[in-house]
Amino acid sequence: MRAMAPIFERLVASRTDPWRENLTMTATTGTGQSAQPERPGMKDGVCGEFTVFTKIKTGHADALRKDLAKIASASADEGNRAAMRQIGTLHDARHVIFDNETRFMFASVFDGSWDTYIDDFGKTAVGANFDRVFSHSEGFPGVSDPGVKDWFVAHQEPAGVFVSSYPDLTVQQIWKDQRVNEAFQKVLDTPEFRAALENPANAELLTTPAFQKLMEEAAR
């Protein structure tokens, strides 16, 4: 058992990220929040859905399409990725122009409080994208406007059905699982780990159902 201790200590130590230690947003979503009015949108476990339909301003469809193209081309930009990590609650998002280029849809899946989700967008580069994209919609007051939540509610339509493949996992938990898996896979490739598997002192641990299950999952 002792022979494997340094390996698992290294695995645990690799589970933290500098950016995660410095989060300023409320990525845990909802903890310590004051009571909020009921918001539209369905929930499945920790995940909620947010879908907004708007009317595109006359003559703005091409400009909106260009702005969406800019966002798409910048999706891999580290600044945008850092903003997404800072928000820490957004699973996915979609922008759609439809109905003969007269209407626009934004749909996303997020963790926790609706109000926190909207607040957090306004504090990052993602909020600037929101301002640019929705500026082509009729009546949009701006992300920083005190009435923006009322505007979103007025244009939001809840889904008839909303199902998540992982309703109990937040974005933060998924990222953590990914980091732990990557760290563990690196441990499996070390000569120290292979030597520990061959050490008779660890024979009892290696035959436990928990360890066997761990190795089976690692091999998939």
Side-chain angles (χ1 to χ4, degrees):
M1 188 77 72
R2 291 180 179 177
M4 300 189 73
I7 295 174
F8 287 104
E9 288 174 0
R10 193 186 319 166
L11 173 62
V12 172
S14 67
R15 293 171 64 178
T16 57
D17 287 344
W19 66 262
R20 191 167 184 269
E21 294 173 354
N22 294 320
L23 283 177
T24 57
M25 299 275 168
T26 49
T28 52
T29 63
T31 56
Q33 296 290 316
S34 58
Q36 298 285 0
E38 184 176 350
R39 300 299 191 180
M42 295 188 70
K43 301 279 288 186
D44 187 14
V46 298
C47 301
E49 59 87 16
F50 175 67
T51 308
V52 170
F53 297 96
T54 74
K55 291 183 179 180
I56 300 174
K57 293 177 180 178
T58 302
H60 278 243
D62 287 341
L64 172 57
R65 185 175 289 103
K66 290 179 181 179
D67 282 338
L68 292 178
K70 291 177 183 178
I71 293 174
S73 65
S75 62
D77 178 75
E78 185 56 32
N80 282 288
R81 292 298 182 185
M84 299 296 287
R85 291 195 294 266
Q86 190 178 11
I87 292 172
T89 59
L90 180 64
H91 289 265
D92 60 65
R94 296 161 302 291
H95 301 262
V96 181
I97 298 173
F98 68 106
D99 204 4
N100 293 320
E101 301 187 336
T102 63
R103 302 181 70 195
F104 171 67
M105 180 194 79
F106 173 80
S108 63
V109 177
F110 65 97
D111 296 325
S113 161
W114 185 98
D115 285 86
T116 299
Y117 169 69
I118 299 299
D119 289 340
D120 286 353
F121 265 102
K123 301 173 185 175
T124 71
V126 179
N129 289 339
F130 252 49
D131 257 340
R132 184 163 65 250
V133 168
F134 279 103
S135 69
H136 302 293
S137 293
E138 293 182 359
F140 181 63
V143 169
S144 61
D145 189 280
V148 70
K149 290 182 180 179
D150 291 333
W151 188 87
F152 278 131
V153 169
H155 292 80
Q156 186 175 348
E157 289 291 341
V161 176
F162 172 61
V163 180
S164 172
S165 294
Y166 40 87
D168 298 324
L169 291 177
T170 66
V171 172
Q172 294 288 324
Q173 290 168 324
I174 292 170
W175 285 340
K176 178 180 178 180
D177 289 347
Q178 183 180 36
R179 293 193 303 271
V180 171
N181 178 64
E182 291 174 352
F184 185 63
Q185 293 297 333
K186 290 180 180 179
V187 169
L188 293 180
D189 294 333
T190 62
E192 293 90 347
F193 186 83
R194 290 193 293 272
L197 292 178
E198 298 170 358
N199 191 324
N202 296 317
E204 183 178 350
L205 170 64
L206 303 185
T207 58
T208 62
F211 190 86
Q212 290 296 315
K213 178 66 174 177
L214 176 64
M215 297 304 292
E216 288 174 9
E217 292 294 333
R220 290 187 178 183

